[in-house]
Amino acid sequence: MIESALIEQQLNEMRQSAQKSLCEANSHNELEAARQEYLGQKGVLTGILRGLGQIDKDRRAAIGQVANQIKSELENVYGERKASLEQSDLEHRLKTEKIDVTLPGRGKKLGHMHPLSETLQEIEQIFLTMGFLPFEGPEVETEYYNFDALNFPPEHPSRDEQDTFYTNIETTGPAVVLRCHTSSAQVRAMQKLSPPIRITCAGRVYRNEEINARKYPLFHQVEGLLIDRDVNFGQLKGTLNHFIRLYFGKPLKTRFRPDFFPFTEPSAELDSECPFCSGSGCRTCGNKGWLELLGCGMVDPNVLKGLNIDPEVWNGFAFGMGVERLAMLKYGVTDIRHFYNNDVRFLEQF
Ligand code: 2U9
């Protein structure tokens, strides 16, 4: 049997030291630790109360009452200390975290379309107004779609490894390459769609070239194709002159210089008078007064025949342009690498 007086004494000692620890706690952790130590499951008070069973019955209730009184008293002390700690936290934050509302806001810099994406979409949009619907094709192609179907003879130099990226995909069929033009997508369109056809094929193309201010191993193209009945070169010129006027925002003199592409016959390069010096010669046009903008031509009948489109019934024209080139001309960018270096000082100018 334990003397109840001993329990009472233990309770009072516990109350003092508990109050001391709770009141002197300088952080939430210290306060929490003090509460655990005295009022927790395994706390001092619980320990003392376990002794209650060993004191004479008539004293037990009274002691129990005292113990509960001390418990709620200590919990009040705990609550007050917690509130005062939170108050001092707030004051500290108010002192340290004061916001100088006169400071300019850190506006979220809104990003914007990459100049290449903007230019590519602008070109697609212009041809859309003339009824050319965008058509997508894969960037990884077989030699058939990238070369054979486009009338490239087997020994054509652009088939060489130093011009085209060959993947090491072992295939029983034609080799697999990274497309070097979006013409391959146009071939897929001619297989999928029946004439009349009026499409643009835009996207990334790859050429195994060294990097410099004018060349990059990947770039973007927009090519166009129109297959219909009795299509003539005049319609091709009209379509492209209209494009030039809308793209540069003013009518420009143009000239079609004979050229050669395996997939078009006749073929031409389209030059426009330099929109920056109106032909008098400047840095942009290398003082030539003319700018080479794109290539075009009437679709070679071999290409049509190869895709089971009867050249006696259907014919057409096609054109192709480099998006980087048209963006560099329009924005006066002199180094193609700016488009890929992701330097925000360059990109934020657009
Ligand atoms: C099919 C038939 C004909 C697409 C064409 C060009 C001329 C051309 C170059 C411009 C700059 C490539 O990016 S560039 O270096 N392209 O000059 N492309 S005609 O002719 C086609 C395509 C598909 C079935």
Side-chain angles (χ1 to χ4, degrees), residues 150 183 186 190 207 219 221 223 261 263 295-296 318-320 322:
L150 289 156
S183 314
Q186 307 211 94
M190 291 167 81
R207 295 194 179 168
F219 64 102
Q221 275 189 340
E223 292 199 359
F261 304 110
F263 33 78
C296 60
F319 52 83

Side-chain angles (χ1 to χ4, degrees), residues 242-256:
H242 184 61
F243 163 70
I244 299 292
R245 190 170 35 255
L246 292 183
Y247 182 76
F248 285 109
K250 58 182 174 181
L252 292 171
K253 276 202 293 302
T254 60
R255 67 183 181 190
F256 289 76

Side-chain angles (χ1 to χ4, degrees), residues 243-344:
F243 163 70
I244 299 292
R245 190 170 35 255
L246 292 183
Y247 182 76
F248 285 109
K250 58 182 174 181
L252 292 171
K253 276 202 293 302
T254 60
R255 67 183 181 190
F256 289 76
R257 238 169 342 98
D259 199 334
F260 173 82
F261 304 110
F263 33 78
T264 48
E265 186 55 43
S267 305
E269 277 298 337
L270 166 59
D271 303 337
S272 81
E273 71 173 310
C274 175
F276 305 99
C277 66
S278 308
S280 57
C282 68
R283 190 171 59 75
T284 306
C285 62
N287 293 315
K288 291 203 302 284
W290 290 94
L291 286 175
E292 185 183 303
L293 292 180
L294 56 90
C296 60
M298 302 307 286
V299 178
D300 191 296
N302 291 337
V303 172
L304 297 173
K305 258 183 264 147
L307 293 161
N308 311 322
I309 296 177
D310 182 352
E312 298 314 313
V313 179
W314 305 100
N315 76 327
F317 63 63
F319 52 83
M321 62 195 81
V323 175
E324 281 77 358
R325 175 154 178 68
L326 287 181
M328 291 169 82
L329 289 174
K330 185 173 226 179
Y331 300 115
V333 176
T334 55
D335 189 321
I336 197 171
R337 292 167 288 196
H338 286 313
F339 290 122
Y340 303 106
N341 294 344
N342 290 323
D343 183 331
V344 286

Side-chain angles (χ1 to χ4, degrees), residues 42-97:
K42 303 188 191 61
V44 179
L45 180 58
T46 317
I48 295 170
L49 292 178
R50 250 191 231 102
L52 267 186
Q54 290 136 42
I55 69 171
D56 52 36
K57 247 201 290 319
D58 54 7
R59 292 289 296 139
R60 212 172 289 168
I63 299 291
Q65 207 175 11
V66 171
N68 288 334
Q69 209 180 352
I70 290 172
K71 185 171 185 342
S72 55
E73 184 195 309
L74 291 175
E75 272 158 359
N76 289 344
V77 172
Y78 166 80
E80 279 151 18
R81 186 70 190 127
K82 187 168 171 44
S84 70
L85 281 175
E86 278 155 0
Q87 180 57 30
S88 54
D89 285 357
L90 181 61
E91 277 146 19
H92 173 70
R93 287 181 54 209
L94 286 173
K95 231 194 320 322
T96 55
E97 291 173 11

Side-chain angles (χ1 to χ4, degrees), residues 70-318:
I70 290 172
K71 185 171 185 342
S72 55
E73 184 195 309
L74 291 175
E75 272 158 359
N76 289 344
V77 172
Y78 166 80
E80 279 151 18
R81 186 70 190 127
K82 187 168 171 44
S84 70
L85 281 175
E86 278 155 0
Q87 180 57 30
S88 54
D89 285 357
L90 181 61
E91 277 146 19
H92 173 70
R93 287 181 54 209
L94 286 173
K95 231 194 320 322
T96 55
E97 291 173 11
K98 70 178 175 300
I99 296 165
D100 176 352
V101 290
T102 64
L103 281 175
R106 282 200 217 86
K108 284 257 169 294
K109 272 212 214 125
L110 283 186
H112 55 70
M113 289 289 272
H114 188 285
L116 288 180
S117 311
E118 221 161 59
T119 303
L120 188 151
Q121 285 173 12
E122 184 186 355
I123 295 168
E124 271 187 330
Q125 190 54 34
I126 290 171
F127 284 106
L128 192 57
T129 62
M130 294 186 259
F132 289 81
L133 299 181
F135 185 94
E136 289 258 332
E139 293 182 12
V140 178
E141 270 294 10
T142 67
E143 258 189 325
Y144 169 75
Y145 285 100
N146 198 66
F147 291 119
D148 308 344
L150 289 156
N151 202 32
F152 279 82
E155 72 295 339
H156 191 282
S158 66
R159 288 177 184 259
D160 303 349
E161 297 246 354
Q162 67 271 7
D163 278 346
T164 295
F165 291 108
Y166 281 78
T167 71
N168 57 6
I169 296 175
E170 294 318 313
T171 76
T172 52
V176 174
V177 302
L178 296 187
R179 67 180 182 186
C180 61
H181 43 206
T182 59
S183 314
S184 49
Q186 307 211 94
V187 171
R188 289 178 180 278
M190 291 167 81
Q191 287 182 327
K192 198 160 175 214
L193 311 169
S194 44
I197 296 171
R198 202 179 284 206
I199 58 169
T200 51
C201 290
R204 277 184 171 197
V205 296
Y206 304 83
R207 295 194 179 168
N208 189 356
E209 291 167 330
E210 87 294 335
I211 297 178
N212 57 39
R214 299 173 57 72
K215 294 227 175 291
Y216 208 79
L218 85 88
F219 64 102
H220 301 75
Q221 275 189 340
V222 177
E223 292 199 359
L225 176 71
L226 180 146
I227 304 289
D228 210 323
R229 299 173 192 280
D230 313 323
V231 180
N232 60 49
F233 205 95
Q235 290 161 329
L236 171 59
K237 292 174 77 171
T239 303
L240 294 177
N241 284 332
H242 184 61
F243 163 70
I244 299 292
R245 190 170 35 255
L246 292 183
Y247 182 76
F248 285 109
K250 58 182 174 181
L252 292 171
K253 276 202 293 302
T254 60
R255 67 183 181 190
F256 289 76
R257 238 169 342 98
D259 199 334
F260 173 82
F261 304 110
F263 33 78
T264 48
E265 186 55 43
S267 305
E269 277 298 337
L270 166 59
D271 303 337
S272 81
E273 71 173 310
C274 175
F276 305 99
C277 66
S278 308
S280 57
C282 68
R283 190 171 59 75
T284 306
C285 62
N287 293 315
K288 291 203 302 284
W290 290 94
L291 286 175
E292 185 183 303
L293 292 180
L294 56 90
C296 60
M298 302 307 286
V299 178
D300 191 296
N302 291 337
V303 172
L304 297 173
K305 258 183 264 147
L307 293 161
N308 311 322
I309 296 177
D310 182 352
E312 298 314 313
V313 179
W314 305 100
N315 76 327
F317 63 63

